[in-house]
Amino acid sequence: MASDALPAAVEPKKKGNVRFAFACAILASMTSILLGYDIGVMSGASLYIQKDLRISDTKVEVLTGILNVYSLIGSFAAGRTSDWIGRRLTIVLAAVIFFVGALLMGFSVNYGMLMFARFVAGIGVGYALMIAPVYTAEVSPSSARGFLTSFPEVFINFGILLGYVSNFAFARLSLKLGWRVMLGIGAGPSVLLGFMVLGMPESPRWLVMKGRLADAKVVLAKTSDSPEEAAERLADIKTAAGIPLDLDGDVVAVPNNEGASEEKRVWKELIFSPTSAMRHILISGIGIHFFQQASGIDAVVLYSPRVFKSAGITGDNRLLGTTVAVGATKTIFILVATFLLDRIGRRPLLLASTGGMIVSLVGLAAGLTVVSNHPDEKITWAIVLCIFCIMAYVAFFSIGLGPITWVYSSEIFPLHVRALGCSLGVALNRLTSGVISMTFLSLSKAITIGGAFFLFAGIASFAWVFFFTYLPETRGHTLEDMSQLFGSKAGAAEAHHDDDVAKEKKVEMAATN
């Protein structure tokens, strides 16, 4: 009898709730398409922009990479905005800002207007990058958090692929029209996204931060694997927000949740006077963002047509077609990663991914060096090696470091500093990406293109050591457990004792509910 009752009472509830959380995660993560599309489309559009506007390589570098610097404004502003108006409306705001930026890029008549359009679009990208993983992590049950929180990276890759396809599709238009259509058509997805997101629920953690317990209970009931987990998650969030466990009601007062004093406390706890556990969390969160970009992914993605040209592939159609293959490879392997994050764990995937990237970068650097040293010869094996290593590099990146960066950084920060912590991580991510994007062509001229990728291989080696020695496994832990996980052994023991007491209260609370 018990076995007959189990599927009816428990399993459908779990599947239905995962589906609901899945739908919310997809809608939130679709904002990442905006960044992915811009990265992908600029790799090909920049070739035609340079011809049409007659600008130098330096201006191309700045135009291509400046969006990442501009996005710093959006990522920092998103932290405060998301705490003020909520995670959901912040996603809508990101879509609106990028929509305006994409239209401006499509109608740009000169370099100055194009740079201003990149500024507007960059702010929208910064908003999207910060808020998508935060919302997804906060709405996901712990059993599927890694799977669902990897979606932003999935949609970045899907956006990159769409950008590459756009390059290939519109390359046959006139020089003046082609690149403008490539950039302007990016406004389309943002309109659809803005309307779809309005049907999403608000983050339960933001609702609790605002004292809206009744609304939070409704969302938690829809996104938890069981009623008991929903009650436990609510108790965890109330504790993190400073609300007494025995305080209940539809709307309750939240202590120290507003004003400049709370903002100062957040900065003090995270930056100016952090505990050892908080310092560990901060370094881990911003460190993984730094190494994700410093290992050269944007150099490959943004300048893939130029890299393939350096490898000996000629002709616009061949260059753009091969670039589409890079986008397809990234998209396929990121989908594989989503199913492995909650089964294998973050650390094994991260270390295997980074190790594969190191080997691929060394192979690519060696192949490009051989091709560069024999400009008058077509060395087939070196060309094949370059193509294979580029495909292998993006595959290894997409199966580990790419998605895990967003998953890991969105789940390790405690509730009251999560918005600021994620904003700092995204800001460093975009700043590093901007530096790489705006210096790659100059770096390639200074130390050769092969030397540039040898440099990236060296940085990736440092990243592997950092991940191995500093980043603990977070799979299976609740968001509220992270301070204990990253703390000292003494602190963990004390927290464990406190956790036992808290769990007793949670059980009582779940029973009463």
Side-chain angles (χ1 to χ4, degrees), residues 370-434:
V370 171
V371 172
S372 299
N373 290 338
H374 301 81
D376 298 326
E377 299 179 42
K378 186 175 182 179
I379 305 176
T380 305
W381 70 265
I383 296 174
V384 172
L385 176 64
C386 290
I387 297 173
F388 174 79
C389 286
I390 288 177
M391 298 298 183
Y393 172 76
V394 298
F396 278 116
F397 177 87
S398 295
I399 208 169
L401 184 56
I404 291 174
T405 295
W406 304 103
V407 174
Y408 204 87
S409 62
S410 66
E411 67 186 0
I412 63 176
F413 288 100
L415 174 63
H416 63 289
V417 299
R418 184 168 299 141
L420 176 60
C422 290
S423 292
L424 292 174
V426 172
L428 183 59
N429 184 292
R430 293 297 88 201
L431 180 61
T432 308
S433 175

Side-chain angles (χ1 to χ4, degrees), residues 13 25 38 77 102 118 131 147-148 157 182 212 230 255 265 318-319 355 374 424 445 470 491 493 503:
K13 176 73 175 175
D38 186 86
R118 301 286 284 168
I131 197 59
F147 172 66
L148 298 179
N157 282 271
M182 293 174 190
R212 296 165 55 181
R265 184 175 73 88
R318 287 185 178 181
L319 288 173
H374 301 81
L424 292 174
K445 292 177 181 178
Y470 207 71
K503 283 188 176 180

